[in-house]
Structure formats: structure tokens, C-alpha cells
Amino acid sequence: PKKKARTRANTAKPTKAERLLSRLKAEPALESRISMLKPSNSDGGRVICKYCRSDVDAKKDTVLDHLDSQKHKTSVAAKDAKVRAETDGQRLLTDMVKQEEHNQAREDYRRRVLKVFLENGISVDKIQGELKNLLEEERLEPISLGHASNLVRKHLSSLIQERNDWLVEKLKNQ
């Protein structure tokens, strides 16, 4: 049988950099900052910063000095700004798409109202006052009117009574 080539993947012993990063990650105050670092692939005694691509010696003081350096802080701020800009750009694009969908839905509704009026021989000039307010009323969900005969049967008598009451009040005030 062939012998497997000895590679980093099948070696059990961690490198100096891996051991250091493991110890530092165990410290709660450093955990999030240490995630910015990774062991060097070419030198087990070095650590590479994912943010600024700096290659530093795998010693606690050296690593902590790097994390506190101006170069590192500038790189982190630049990356955060880039992420924020991308997020803002995505949000803006999402908002634009939603606005376009809203505009399209509004225009579709207007077209349907006009079509119904025209198909039923109702003058478009009638779209004013209370009818216009009713048609423009904002709703969270559509309201079904049901069949016209049910609508009349259920609501006509109360509307007639309401109109009679209004007329009686009008006559009293004259």
C-alpha cells in the first residue's frame, strides 16, 4: 500500500499560530477580535490578519499590538463602511422595487376601475365626491361586496331609513 503524504490536514499537532489563536479565542474580551486572524498557510509561526492582510509573528503581544494598530483600525473601519454601503445600497434597491410594485398595483387598480365603468356604461365623470373617496379608500386587505342581490337585500332598507331620517331632520330645520 501507498503511504499517504504527510500534509497539514492529516497532522494532529497544531502549529504555534493555531495554539495561540485558540488560547486567545478563549478569552471573552478578545474572542471577536481574534476571529479577524488566521494562521499562515506557509509559516506555522505567523498569523495573517483577514482585514488588512498583515502578516505578524504568532506571539500574544505582537498580535495584540497589531489589533490595536492604526493600520488595523483603519482597515476594519473601511471594511465596515463597505458593508454598510452595500447594505444601504441593497435597502435602496429593495425600496425602489417595492415602490415600483406599489406604483404598478395602483395603475392596475385605476385601469380596472375605468374598465368596469366603461363596460357598464357609467360615465367617468361620476368618479367624484363620495364615490371617489370610496374607490380610493385604503384597506389592509380587499373587502368582498358579495353578489349584488345580497348587497341590496342586506343593506338597502337601512340606507332608505338613513335617507328618510336625514330628510326629516332637513325639514325640521327649515
Side-chain angles (χ1 to χ4, degrees):
K2 270 189 171 180
K3 251 187 168 179
K4 269 190 174 179
R6 188 177 167 124
T7 64
R8 181 75 205 113
N10 62 16
T11 317
K13 188 176 178 186
T15 65
K16 178 181 177 182
E18 291 170 331
R19 288 190 308 272
L20 173 69
L21 293 178
S22 179
R23 277 195 326 271
L24 293 177
K25 282 181 185 175
E27 296 182 31
L30 297 175
E31 186 178 7
S32 64
R33 295 174 70 199
I34 297 304
S35 66
M36 300 174 187
L37 305 170
K38 67 178 183 178
S40 170
N41 291 332
S42 59
D43 183 352
R46 311 280 299 165
V47 174
I48 297 174
C49 177
K50 297 176 191 176
Y51 280 69
C52 49
R53 306 277 186 237
S54 291
D55 185 335
V56 296
D57 203 19
K59 294 180 182 170
K60 183 176 181 176
D61 290 340
T62 309
V63 168
L64 295 178
D65 286 346
H66 168 73
L67 292 174
D68 290 331
S69 72
Q70 190 57 46
K71 177 183 179 183
H72 178 76
K73 289 176 182 176
T74 302
S75 296
V76 169
K79 183 163 182 127
D80 289 348
K82 181 181 177 188
V83 168
R84 266 194 315 280
E86 289 171 355
T87 302
D88 290 347
Q90 290 168 345
R91 189 177 306 118
L92 179 62
L93 183 60
T94 300
D95 290 347
M96 288 172 55
V97 168
K98 285 180 182 176
Q99 183 62 44
E100 183 58 36
E101 289 171 351
H102 176 74
N103 291 345
Q104 186 62 47
R106 184 177 60 230
E107 291 306 314
D108 288 347
Y109 176 74
R110 289 174 176 168
R111 187 181 56 72
R112 286 187 358 251
V113 166
L114 177 62
K115 181 180 176 189
V116 167
F117 270 66
L118 295 175
E119 287 176 348
N120 289 287
I122 303 170
S123 170
V124 215
D125 295 336
K126 301 281 185 195
I127 304 176
Q128 54 184 307
E130 284 300 311
L131 179 58
K132 186 173 192 278
N133 292 341
L134 178 66
L135 292 172
E136 291 177 346
E137 197 172 88
E138 197 167 323
R139 297 175 186 88
L140 294 175
E141 57 185 65
I143 298 173
S144 172
L145 294 177
H147 191 272
S149 62
N150 290 335
L151 191 63
V152 169
R153 183 173 40 80
K154 189 168 185 175
H155 298 284
L156 186 59
S157 62
S158 66
L159 288 175
I160 291 171
Q161 185 60 48
E162 197 176 290
R163 184 67 173 178
N164 286 344
D165 294 344
W166 179 81
L167 285 171
V168 167
E169 189 64 36
K170 191 87 166 158
L171 289 172
K172 281 182 186 177
N173 292 334
Q174 281 189 342

